[in-house]
Amino acid sequence: MKAIAYHKFGNTAVLQTVAEAIPAIQSNQVLVKVSAVSINPMDWKIRKGEMKLMSGSKFPKHTGVEFAGIIEEVGNSNFKKGDEVFGVVKNPMKEGALAEFVAVPSISVWKKPATISSAQAASIPIVGAAAVTMIEKMGDINTNTEILVNGATGGLGMFLLQLLKQKGGAITAVASTKAVEFATRWGATTVIDYTLENVLSGNKSYDIIIDLSGKMGYENARKIMKRKSIFLNPTPKPIEIPISLFKNFFTGKKHVVILSAPSSKNIGVLQNAIDKGLQIEINKIFPFTQSVEAYDYAEKGGVVGKVAIKLS
Ligand SMILES: NC(=O)c1ccc[n+]([C@@H]2O[C@H](COP(=O)([O-])OP(=O)(O)OC[C@H]3O[C@@H](n4cnc5c(N)ncnc54)[C@H](OP(=O)(O)O)[C@@H]3O)[C@@H](O)[C@H]2O)c1
């Protein structure tokens, strides 16, 4: 089968199409014929060596964390050949789904909702699970809760805004000019265009701030946090994880690190939200033969929603 692999850390130039054997499955696994893979910032952070502590430096490495496809072979599971599914690889630091076939534990795949495309299904697990985890960490929210989502119209923001809209809450979204319309459509009551206005210079303060851009940071966010408030951080530096836990004892402005993993529970919440109308915007789809172009496009930024690669 064809797969995308790389033999050293670097930019997209290190990505190569390679020929490999179709993986053999173990009894707890299923073999999926991949139809689509969606791109996540995690893919290029691993490839550029920014997550070396977790990924290690052993090559070749593969890329792409989440996929949709058709069950080709089953071990001991309730799936059957031909089922349409979506899922994640077991260890994103060591494996990749951007290949014609992928072998994964059966607990890491779920039935694809019939109402969405394979590219949309392949876009759910990673950012969707993170959005569900964030909402859990927020605790009780109501229409008086002032929530700021910074970087609101990428993959994660798309899910988070719409889940928040279904729950209530006064949402201020920070987005670039061309994404303002999407932020409003997905549930923001106020949208700040970050190319025109610096949210940190405003007078307003928030109960909850979520920074999806990775550019604000907790220390900056403190300036616009209420006395009792939460900063949700999905892009912590390793050192911030223990420090935030310690500092949270002494301040009402809590710094909460988000490390989420797709599970049947949070995927169930997402399937329910999709049934209620959550939209998954696919900004652009590339064929497998243009996987390098797909990553170049996604890594440049300015993408509203997700970028996907289609295999079949
Ligand atoms: N911890 C976890 O479990 C977990 C799970 C999923 C994702 N993540 C991480 O969470 C982050 C968000 O994920 P994602 O998939 O949504 O990434 P994404 O699609 O790249 O979205 C990032 C957003 O930030 C915006 N942005 C860029 N510069 C900005 C600025 N100066 N001010 C405000 N917004 C700005 C971008 O807008 P423009 O492109 O329009 O400029 C884009 O909408 C990534 O770093 C990802 O790795 C963590």
Side-chain angles (χ1 to χ4, degrees), residues 42-91:
M42 187 202 298
D43 302 350
W44 66 78
K45 290 179 191 174
I46 296 171
R47 184 197 345 111
K48 290 179 178 175
E50 292 169 21
M51 301 181 92
K52 246 183 240 173
L53 271 182
M54 286 176 281
S55 73
S57 300
K58 218 167 139 193
F59 296 99
K61 290 194 182 300
H62 294 80
T63 197
V65 180
E66 49 186 1
F67 58 87
I70 295 170
I71 297 276
E72 180 73 17
E73 228 181 277
V74 287
N76 302 328
S77 86
N78 292 329
F79 289 107
K80 57 181 190 314
K81 187 174 160 109
D83 282 347
E84 288 192 70
V85 294
F86 65 104
V88 281
V89 296
K90 186 177 178 199
N91 183 351

Side-chain angles (χ1 to χ4, degrees), residues 21-253:
I22 294 176
I25 58 164
Q26 293 163 4
S27 59
N28 67 332
Q29 291 185 312
V30 290
L31 182 70
V32 178
K33 185 174 194 303
V34 178
S35 334
V37 168
S38 88
I39 292 181
N40 283 285
M42 187 202 298
D43 302 350
W44 66 78
K45 290 179 191 174
I46 296 171
R47 184 197 345 111
K48 290 179 178 175
E50 292 169 21
M51 301 181 92
K52 246 183 240 173
L53 271 182
M54 286 176 281
S55 73
S57 300
K58 218 167 139 193
F59 296 99
K61 290 194 182 300
H62 294 80
T63 197
V65 180
E66 49 186 1
F67 58 87
I70 295 170
I71 297 276
E72 180 73 17
E73 228 181 277
V74 287
N76 302 328
S77 86
N78 292 329
F79 289 107
K80 57 181 190 314
K81 187 174 160 109
D83 282 347
E84 288 192 70
V85 294
F86 65 104
V88 281
V89 296
K90 186 177 178 199
N91 183 351
M93 297 296 154
K94 311 268 182 199
E95 303 166 74
L98 192 46
E100 286 177 286
F101 293 91
V102 66
V104 289
S106 57
I107 54 165
S108 303
V109 296
W110 303 275
K111 281 255 172 81
K112 181 180 91 58
T115 51
I116 61 174
S117 69
S118 58
Q120 288 173 314
S123 300
I124 296 174
I126 295 293
V127 286
V132 172
T133 304
M134 286 176 169
I135 295 208
E136 283 167 5
K137 297 282 183 195
M138 289 177 195
D140 288 334
I141 56 173
N142 58 47
T143 46
N144 295 319
T145 314
E146 294 282 359
I147 303 170
L148 178 76
V149 184
N150 188 49
T153 55
L156 215 169
M158 165 173 71
F159 280 90
L160 185 62
L161 288 184
Q162 295 182 80
L163 290 172
L164 281 171
K165 185 182 180 183
Q166 290 183 0
K167 257 189 100 81
I171 310 162
T172 300
V174 182
S176 61
T177 313
K178 70 172 183 196
V180 168
E181 172 206 336
F182 284 89
T184 308
R185 190 190 305 168
W186 290 335
T189 37
T190 308
V191 186
I192 296 172
D193 178 341
Y194 77 78
T195 67
L196 304 175
E197 193 182 332
N198 181 356
V199 64
L200 294 170
S201 313
N203 297 323
K204 196 166 165 183
S205 55
Y206 299 89
D207 297 292
I208 300 169
I209 297 183
I210 308 105
D211 180 26
L212 304 177
S213 76
K215 293 179 180 165
M216 178 183 270
Y218 171 71
E219 291 306 328
N220 287 318
R222 283 179 66 89
K223 295 175 207 154
I224 53 167
M225 288 169 75
K226 291 189 182 169
R227 206 165 54 82
K228 284 191 169 184
S229 52
I230 315 174
F231 178 77
L232 297 180
N233 183 0
T235 58
K237 298 182 188 80
I239 190 69
E240 283 183 308
I241 299 173
I243 288 182
S244 62
L245 285 174
F246 177 72
K247 281 194 175 168
N248 282 348
F249 281 112
F250 307 103
T251 175
K253 299 180 180 185

